[in-house]
Amino acid sequence: MLKQHLQFKLSQKLSPQQIQLMKLIQLPTQAFEQRLKRELEENPALEKGKEDSENNEEDYDDIYEETDSETIAAEDINIDDYLSDDETPDYRTKANNYSADEDEKSIPYAAGTTFNQYLINQLNTVNLTDEEWSIAEFLVGSVDESGYIRRPVADILDDLAFTQNIYTDEDKIEKVFKIVQELDPPGVAARSLEECLVIQLKRKEATLNIELAITILEKSFDQFTKKHYKKLIQKHNITEEQLKDAISEIEKLNPKPGGSFAGNNRLVEHVVPDFSIRIVEGELELTLNGRNAPELHVSREYNNMLQGYKDSKEKSKSQKDTVLFIKQKLDAAKWFIDAIRQRQQTLFITMNAIMHYQKEYFLSGDERSLRPMILKDIADEIQMDVSTVSRVANSKYVDTPYGTKLIKEYFSESMKNEQGEDVSTKEIKKILETVIKEEVKKKPLTDDKLAAILKEKGYPIARRTVAKYREQLGIPVARLRKKI
């Protein structure tokens, strides 16, 4: 039996313009500049620089209203035709809260050849048979960014057969492995950290410390990584001082030989602060990077073309098609300029609220002064959506007297201290970091002991919470912090 019933559903859909504005807000300065450049290239109705006429936009509005609405209906103008579904550009408004930032805008690249080509160039100086050359070239092509070849010989053997038509055996591959491992930087083409370190040590001048270091790595690598120093002393029948000297040699080595190569043509990214906070006569002063706000205006030439259509008595179909295109581009240009005004206002209001919320920290630079702050705190204060605050915090940097930092680093949850006051988890992490820094490295503090110390300082948190904070700070467990 069929039944009919009414169902009401409340839903909210964002317009293409709203989506574009959200993406626009999320863009950091450098991506913002790239998006502007692309929009200027794609929309001839948008121009950079000051407009001679102060009434340019008003002129366009008048022409737009007077243009025959029957000929060019609003529904004929498809926003999607000229709004990219990607991120959005940037434009300047007349305000005095922008910093004069004329720094170099291009992103520099590291010069030189690629890492793999650097290794191939070295192979050219080695006397190899055709088969050895082919295997060596394949091995060099398998070196990853860290400088390792993380594949079993059996897999390499199969790949050589299936992809290169090279039928060889594991012994020949091992022989060529040794040749490739003689290339620079030392340790390249190793298959494990142990092998990488041993290769580097064997390239050094032989001394008692070097020989002991090689022995420890080759015969007691597991105990070395776990810092079981007493077992190492007993096993190798050495003194504590000898072990300390051997470990000192190992600590000088490079665990990622590929990472030290400067000519791998990777993009060298430089953080461009989106905001700057300075202390002027005891007060905080916030400025928005001037590169976020270029001067833009709607093209006078395109306005004149629209005016020409309005003034013409006979309107052909081609003229109507042309004016539809012109109006689309002018609409797009006006929308982008308005969106930029909204973007600049949103960024400034959000960062200003964060700055005043954390005023004590920005005046002192002491991370223990950071107040507990979540996205909702700022969203409620500026009466905007949490997602908007998130877009600003997650992608923007602020230059302060204490360094340049990602804004989201100032957000943290809160917890109660023994006095029942809300304290920031950032404050607790800073104290935890300080306690670990000051510990006796011969006998580092366990998480239980750290929890007890924090409790004594008025922060009653569980051992598992201490472990979580320690891991977030990138600090290893007590056993791995141990030093002789």
Side-chain angles (χ1 to χ4, degrees):
M1 183 177 178
L2 294 174
K3 286 185 179 180
Q4 279 188 325
H5 66 278
L6 288 172
Q7 183 179 4
F8 293 96
K9 184 188 287 185
L10 186 64
S11 64
Q12 184 181 26
K13 289 187 177 180
L14 292 175
S15 68
Q17 295 99 322
Q18 287 172 314
I19 293 169
Q20 290 295 318
L21 180 58
M22 288 301 100
K23 289 182 177 181
L24 184 62
I25 289 170
Q26 191 164 348
L27 287 176
T29 299
Q30 283 182 319
F32 192 53
E33 289 180 321
Q34 293 300 314
R35 184 61 185 86
L36 168 63
K37 183 181 176 183
R38 188 163 73 248
E39 186 59 31
L40 285 167
E41 289 171 353
E42 292 175 359
N43 190 351
L46 187 66
E47 293 181 350
K48 201 169 183 179
K50 289 183 179 179
E51 171 60 30
D52 294 334
S53 170
E54 292 292 327
N55 301 316
N56 187 40
E57 288 188 27
E58 288 78 357
D59 292 347
Y60 166 67
D61 290 336
D62 293 341
I63 298 168
Y64 185 91
E65 292 299 326
E66 294 175 26
T67 307
D68 188 352
S69 59
E70 291 183 7
T71 308
I72 308 172
E75 57 267 23
D76 292 336
I77 301 176
N78 182 5
I79 293 173
D80 291 335
D81 287 344
Y82 55 86
L83 279 185
S84 166
D85 195 35
D86 200 346
E87 298 149 345
T88 339
D90 57 306
Y91 310 72
R92 182 192 283 272
T93 57
K94 292 178 181 177
N96 58 8
N97 54 1
Y98 302 110
S99 63
D101 192 322
E102 300 299 332
D103 292 343
E104 176 60 45
K105 297 180 183 179
S106 60
I107 304 175
Y109 286 80
T113 58
T114 64
F115 186 29
N116 290 83
Q117 188 57 52
Y118 174 69
L119 297 174
I120 290 290
N121 290 345
Q122 293 180 67
L123 276 181
N124 288 327
T125 65
V126 182
N127 188 17
L128 300 171
T129 65
D130 290 345
E131 183 185 29
E132 287 172 343
W133 169 262
S134 299
I135 296 170
E137 188 178 30
F138 185 85
L139 291 178
V140 165
S142 301
V143 173
D144 65 19
E145 291 181 350
S146 297
Y148 288 80
I149 296 178
R150 305 180 192 273
R151 306 189 60 216
V153 172
D155 288 354
I156 293 172
L157 184 68
D158 290 340
D159 276 357
L160 283 168
F162 288 118
T163 65
Q164 309 293 319
N165 288 324
I166 298 171
Y167 299 93
T168 184
D169 56 54
E170 291 191 10
D171 288 340
K172 283 184 182 176
I173 293 175
E174 286 288 354
K175 179 186 174 185
V176 177
F177 245 116
K178 299 297 180 188
I179 295 170
V180 174
Q181 288 173 348
E182 288 296 318
L183 304 178
D184 286 326
V188 73
R191 286 159 285 185
S192 65
L193 175 59
E194 177 189 345
E195 187 177 38
C196 176
L197 299 177
V198 169
I199 289 169
Q200 292 179 61
L201 286 170
K202 287 182 176 178
R203 296 272 286 271
K204 289 175 174 278
E205 184 181 347
T207 65
L208 291 175
N209 291 338
I210 296 290
E211 289 176 5
L212 178 57
I214 293 171
T215 302
I216 289 171
L217 291 176
E218 288 182 335
K219 297 183 178 178
S220 310
F221 186 73
D222 190 50
Q223 289 172 326
F224 166 74
T225 57
K226 292 177 179 177
K227 297 198 173 184
H228 291 160
Y229 296 139
K230 286 183 180 178
K231 291 181 180 179
L232 288 172
I233 289 170
Q234 291 171 356
K235 182 176 179 179
H236 296 282
N237 193 24
I238 53 178
T239 65
E240 188 176 295
E241 195 62 33
Q242 286 174 317
L243 177 60
K244 189 175 181 179
D245 291 340
I247 290 173
S248 176
E249 292 292 344
I250 296 171
E251 287 176 344
K252 295 174 187 174
L253 306 176
N254 184 1
K256 293 184 179 180
S260 64
F261 184 76
N264 48 15
N265 269 358
R266 279 193 216 142
L267 191 61
V268 180
E269 291 192 59
H270 294 278
V271 171
V272 176
D274 304 273
F275 305 93
S276 177
I277 293 177
R278 290 290 174 264
I279 301 171
V280 180
E281 296 181 356
E283 292 296 325
L284 296 173
E285 185 180 273
L286 174 68
T287 53
L288 184 62
N289 189 324
R291 289 163 62 176
N292 281 293
E295 292 173 340
L296 293 176
H297 63 268
V298 175
S299 168
R300 166 59 60 182
E301 184 181 349
Y302 265 58
N303 264 345
N304 292 341
M305 290 167 69
L306 200 60
Q307 179 68 49
Y309 171 81
K310 179 177 92 66
D311 294 341
S312 65
K313 293 179 182 179
E314 293 185 11
K315 297 178 174 64
S316 65
K317 185 180 183 303
S318 63
Q319 281 180 309
K320 292 174 184 177
D321 290 341
T322 300
V323 82
L324 176 60
F325 171 81
I326 292 170
K327 287 183 71 173
Q328 286 178 341
K329 294 301 180 185
L330 286 169
D331 280 348
K334 279 197 68 183
W335 182 86
F336 275 120
I337 292 170
D338 290 339
I340 293 313
R341 291 181 181 135
Q342 286 182 261
R343 177 185 188 271
Q344 308 309 332
Q345 185 180 30
T346 301
L347 295 187
F348 193 83
I349 288 172
T350 305
M351 188 63 224
N352 193 54
I354 293 169
M355 180 181 74
H356 283 96
Y357 201 96
Q358 300 291 4
K359 183 176 181 179
E360 191 179 340
Y361 162 76
F362 284 115
L363 285 173
S364 67
D366 187 351
E367 289 191 9
R368 289 172 294 184
S369 300
L370 281 169
R371 294 171 59 190
M373 180 176 70
I374 59 174
L375 295 172
K376 191 174 184 301
D377 292 330
I378 301 302
D380 289 345
E381 190 161 320
I382 62 177
Q383 297 184 334
M384 289 186 183
D385 194 82
V386 170
S387 64
T388 303
V389 178
S390 176
R391 282 180 169 86
V392 176
N394 287 333
S395 59
K396 306 291 185 299
Y397 287 84
V398 59
D399 179 31
T400 75
Y402 325 108
T404 299
K405 294 189 178 182
L406 190 62
I407 295 168
K408 73 174 181 181
E409 292 180 12
Y410 298 121
F411 287 82
S412 65
E413 298 288 341
S414 66
M415 67 169 294
K416 302 281 185 186
N417 63 12
E418 283 190 336
Q419 286 72 43
E421 300 167 332
D422 281 333
V423 293
S424 168
T425 53
K426 287 264 184 188
E427 178 182 337
I428 298 170
K429 286 179 186 177
K430 188 66 181 175
I431 293 168
L432 176 63
E433 191 175 26
T434 303
V435 170
I436 291 173
K437 241 180 225 181
E438 294 173 353
E439 71 186 357
V440 177
K441 294 305 175 185
K442 276 195 172 186
K443 200 174 181 182
L445 300 166
T446 63
D447 290 341
D448 282 320
K449 289 180 181 176
L450 289 170
I453 292 170
L454 286 172
K455 188 175 181 181
E456 286 173 13
K457 292 180 179 289
Y459 304 97
I461 58 176
R463 185 205 62 80
R464 64 179 179 275
T465 308
V466 169
K468 181 178 79 171
Y469 290 169
R470 176 179 52 69
E471 287 169 5
Q472 288 173 351
L473 289 166
I475 299 172
V477 295
R479 176 172 50 78
L480 297 180
R481 300 200 304 272
K482 186 177 181 182
K483 289 186 178 179
I484 298 177

